[in-house]
Amino acid sequence: MSVPNMIEMASLLKIYVDYRLKEHSPLKLVLISAGVAYSAACLQNFLRDPELSVVERAKRYIFSWIRIIPLVKKKVEEERLKAKTLMEEDMNKCTKSLGVYYQLPKKGRSVDEVAKEASEYLELGDCDWKAGGLSGCVYNVDPEVTTLVTQVYGMSAWTNPLHPDVFPGIRKMEAEIVQMAIDMFHGGSDACGTMTSGGSESLLLAVKAYRDYARNVKGIRNPEILMPASGHAAFDKASQLYRMRLVRIPVDPKTHKADVKAMEKAINKNTCMLLASAPGFPHGVIDPVGEIAALGRKYDIPVHVDACLGGFVIAFMEEAGYPLPLFDFRVDGVTSISADTHKYGYAPKGSSIILYSHPKYRQQQFFVATEWPGGIYASPTLAGSRPGGLIAACWASMMYYGRNGYVEATKKITETHRFIERGLRQINGLRVMGHPEACCVAVDSVDFNIYRVSDAMAKKGWSLSPLQFPASIHLTVTYLHTREGVAERFIYDMRDTVAEIMKSPKAEAEGAAVIYGMAQSIPDRSMVSDIASVFLESIYNLKTDIVSNGFPK
């Protein structure tokens, strides 16, 4: 189009706009302009929300309107109340015969009285977790270690690492724990880290460090997290807390490992960190750390290896005779690693470690307030005051086991893990998911609702972890499963359970199998969130059958 023609079109457009404006009053024009501006602002906020994708936000918006419909709203509330009743009954089934304290006792109890009642509380429940029936959760109950950490915790119960000048011994213990972990994961001379309260805090801190590094050093205004779909839910928590967008990429449907090609396609100018799990919680597989680290080098993006679950296993597998592809700081491009000492490190809950390849990352993790009237306030982690007793107990556990102890434990756990995997592969009706390399073994089924297995196994004393997308269950193998006969009993019970289910594979599910099956099929995930919130609320709702025995109603 020539310049004269463009000028002529612009003139015609101006004449048309002027003509249309003459038809409206000034007030109407102001209202129309305000409406357009408001709509544009709402659309901009909708499109630029840092936490969720446009598709996810659209789905939530649509479902929020559907739930306003009176019939739908009534049905949802009925189901919520039904779930609330069931969950509260289940939560209180073993405590209803006891009284409940709704206020402080008027007079303090003696040491013997408190100890006796505490013992009664701790004996509640019908799960014999010391016998190895749990998937994960409790990783060791060695009585000698229990005595040691209890003694050391008692010696340090009142210490607080927020005051390192007052408690120099606790400061030294924490620093030594970090240094020992750096050695385990082959960190260089610049490697550094801190202790945390558990895996979730370790991951939260890694995200905080990389978010602030992206903003303060690289000038990225809206940093985003990029991770495989199998990555831990603590990253979802981080995205909410830090108002960041979390981009999940698919995993290979056969291996359940990160799809590196899809990850590379998802990288953009806002990506502030990449994630690899070693191993991932759902299926026990290790993501291709080397390939993901190569992406980190190529695009100058930090790479975090989440070894919270199995860090204290995979670090010793090579010495135990089960070599793995490199996953730690020996891989060029890996900039941080998290590992839980309170899992296979056999320290009391909760303690974990976050390590960085260089102090420039850890510096972004720290919190410093310089303008507070109470003085300059600085803390290395999310917490201010921290329990020095847990640091001391963790240090004691690591000193007790030593490298040889962890190698021996890893050998037994890996042998048991592989024995269980082989046994599950031989059970008709089950499929082992991928090729688990450490800690977990997950199974699904194309013949029946897999959650029926976990329900039936619970009646035999086994507590298995339900997974979703796809529907499956897993066992996290711990040191308790290495005891004589435990793994054999598990395979026997699984074979017997599946054989019984295969007699009527299409039978309707009951109990928890219904809940988990339903939860997967509900497109409105906010409803699933509501039910999960009801569960969390039920933890704090106490009910008792006691009418009067000195406890207030």
Side-chain angles (χ1 to χ4, degrees):
M1 182 180 292
S2 65
V3 173
N5 287 338
M6 292 177 65
I7 295 174
E8 183 179 355
M9 286 191 65
S11 299
L12 290 173
L13 180 62
K14 181 179 183 301
I15 292 170
Y16 175 77
V17 171
D18 289 341
Y19 172 76
R20 298 301 297 178
L21 288 176
K22 289 178 182 178
E23 295 181 344
H24 301 287
S25 66
L27 177 60
K28 190 173 183 180
L29 290 174
V30 169
L31 292 175
I32 291 173
S33 300
V36 171
Y38 177 77
S39 300
C42 289
L43 179 61
Q44 185 181 47
N45 290 336
F46 180 82
L47 294 175
R48 291 188 177 181
D49 188 302
E51 292 183 48
L52 301 170
S53 67
V54 173
V55 173
E56 185 61 32
R57 289 196 296 278
K59 284 169 57 179
R60 292 194 178 190
Y61 181 77
I62 293 169
F63 285 127
S64 68
W65 278 99
I66 292 175
R67 293 182 66 177
I68 294 175
I69 300 172
L71 185 62
V72 175
K73 184 177 180 180
K74 181 181 178 182
K75 184 63 177 176
V76 169
E77 183 60 20
E78 288 176 355
E79 293 300 318
R80 192 190 74 82
L81 290 175
K82 187 188 299 182
K84 181 176 184 292
T85 300
L86 290 173
M87 288 179 183
E88 287 185 355
E89 286 296 320
D90 184 65
M91 198 69 68
N92 287 283
K93 65 183 179 182
C94 63
T95 62
K96 290 186 71 174
S97 61
L98 299 175
V100 174
Y101 291 105
Y102 290 100
Q103 57 187 219
L104 284 169
K106 188 172 184 179
K107 183 180 179 182
R109 304 294 179 83
S110 69
V111 171
D112 290 341
E113 287 175 324
V114 174
K116 180 177 182 298
E117 193 161 7
S119 179
E120 292 173 356
Y121 277 35
L122 295 173
E123 289 174 1
L124 294 172
D126 53 10
C127 178
D128 188 8
W129 50 271
K130 293 181 181 179
L134 282 177
S135 173
C137 188
V138 179
Y139 290 80
N140 200 351
V141 289
D142 186 322
E144 192 168 29
V145 182
T146 301
T147 299
L148 172 63
V149 297
T150 301
Q151 180 182 357
V152 173
Y153 186 93
M155 295 161 57
S156 53
W158 307 111
T159 62
N160 182 358
L162 184 63
H163 304 279
D165 54 330
V166 179
F167 305 106
I170 293 297
R171 182 202 68 81
K172 185 173 184 290
M173 286 176 172
E174 179 175 12
E176 287 180 348
I177 290 169
V178 170
Q179 289 301 317
M180 288 187 283
I182 288 172
D183 178 70
M184 283 169 49
F185 293 106
H186 300 92
S189 58
D190 289 328
C192 56
T194 67
M195 282 191 69
T196 73
S197 63
S200 289
E201 188 183 5
S202 290
L203 300 182
L204 288 171
L205 288 170
V207 174
K208 188 221 180 270
Y210 292 139
R211 180 201 66 175
D212 291 0
Y213 184 80
R215 287 179 177 173
N216 300 333
V217 178
K218 302 176 75 175
I220 299 175
R221 293 182 59 189
N222 298 299
E224 297 179 0
I225 308 162
L226 181 55
M227 59 180 284
S230 55
H232 199 276
F235 288 99
D236 292 88
K237 183 181 290 187
S239 73
Q240 289 186 27
L241 291 174
Y242 301 142
R243 296 285 293 162
M244 296 172 66
R245 187 180 176 201
L246 172 64
V247 181
R248 286 186 177 271
I249 62 163
V251 297
D252 185 286
K254 291 184 178 180
T255 66
H256 299 282
K257 297 187 178 187
D259 184 333
V260 180
K261 291 183 179 178
M263 179 175 280
E264 182 168 18
K265 289 181 181 179
I267 291 174
N268 62 45
K269 64 180 182 179
N270 292 323
T271 305
C272 73
M273 68 178 293
L274 305 176
L275 172 75
S277 299
F281 173 81
H283 313 112
V285 301
I286 297 177
D287 287 327
V289 175
E291 296 178 47
I292 294 173
L295 291 182
R297 296 195 307 273
K298 180 178 179 179
Y299 295 98
D300 188 27
I301 301 172
V303 175
H304 179 75
V305 175
D306 175 15
C308 285
L309 173 61
F312 274 70
V313 170
I314 60 174
F316 303 107
M317 283 183 67
E318 185 175 352
E319 284 184 65
Y322 298 95
L324 295 170
L326 296 183
F327 58 86
D328 53 22
F329 288 123
R330 288 173 290 182
V331 180
D332 186 17
V334 170
T335 55
S336 58
I337 299 172
S338 54
D340 287 359
T341 44
H342 68 196
K343 289 188 173 76
Y344 295 98
Y346 309 126
K349 304 284 184 177
S351 64
S352 178
I353 302 166
I354 173 70
L355 305 174
Y356 298 98
S357 61
H358 195 279
K360 67 181 181 181
Y361 300 119
R362 184 177 65 174
Q363 183 181 0
Q364 303 295 332
Q365 171 188 300
F366 296 157
F367 173 81
V368 180
T370 60
E371 307 306 314
W372 181 43
I376 297 174
Y377 181 92
S379 64
T381 63
L382 296 179
S385 292
R386 292 183 290 153
L390 286 178
I391 293 174
C394 175
W395 178 88
S397 296
M398 294 177 71
M399 298 300 288
Y400 174 85
Y401 280 97
R403 192 170 192 92
N404 290 343
Y406 283 123
V407 170
E408 184 59 30
T410 294
K411 184 178 181 184
K412 291 181 179 179
I413 289 168
T414 306
E415 288 173 349
T416 303
H417 175 264
R418 299 198 175 186
F419 170 84
I420 289 174
E421 180 193 349
R422 289 193 301 271
L424 292 173
R425 289 190 185 278
Q426 295 170 5
I427 298 177
N428 182 39
L430 291 182
R431 296 189 309 181
V432 173
M433 305 183 73
H435 294 280
E437 290 141 302
C439 304
C440 303
V441 184
V443 294
D444 68 354
S445 177
V446 296
D447 299 312
F448 52 81
N449 183 335
I450 192 65
Y451 301 130
R452 291 174 63 191
V453 174
S454 54
D455 273 1
M457 288 291 282
K459 296 174 182 177
K460 297 180 179 181
W462 300 99
S463 177
L464 304 180
S465 301
L467 313 172
Q468 59 180 352
F469 310 128
S472 47
I473 58 177
H474 85 195
L475 175 74
T476 299
V477 180
T478 70
Y479 199 78
L480 281 73
H481 297 116
T482 68
R483 293 175 173 177
E484 186 176 356
V486 175
E488 290 81 1
R489 179 166 58 88
F490 174 74
I491 293 299
Y492 175 85
D493 286 346
M494 282 289 286
R495 186 181 296 113
D496 183 63
T497 296
V498 173
E500 188 64 30
I501 290 174
M502 286 292 284
K503 292 178 182 178
S504 53
K506 303 304 179 183
E508 291 189 8
E510 299 177 350
V514 176
I515 296 174
Y516 283 107
M518 177 185 66
Q520 277 199 117
S521 63
I522 296 176
D524 183 0
R525 305 311 292 172
S526 65
M527 291 181 63
V528 180
S529 178
D530 286 348
I531 298 299
S533 296
V534 169
F535 169 78
L536 295 175
E537 288 171 357
S538 69
I539 295 174
Y540 300 96
N541 292 332
L542 293 167
K543 294 185 176 180
T544 179
D545 291 333
I546 302 298
V547 177
S548 63
N549 67 345
F551 302 110
K553 286 294 292 178

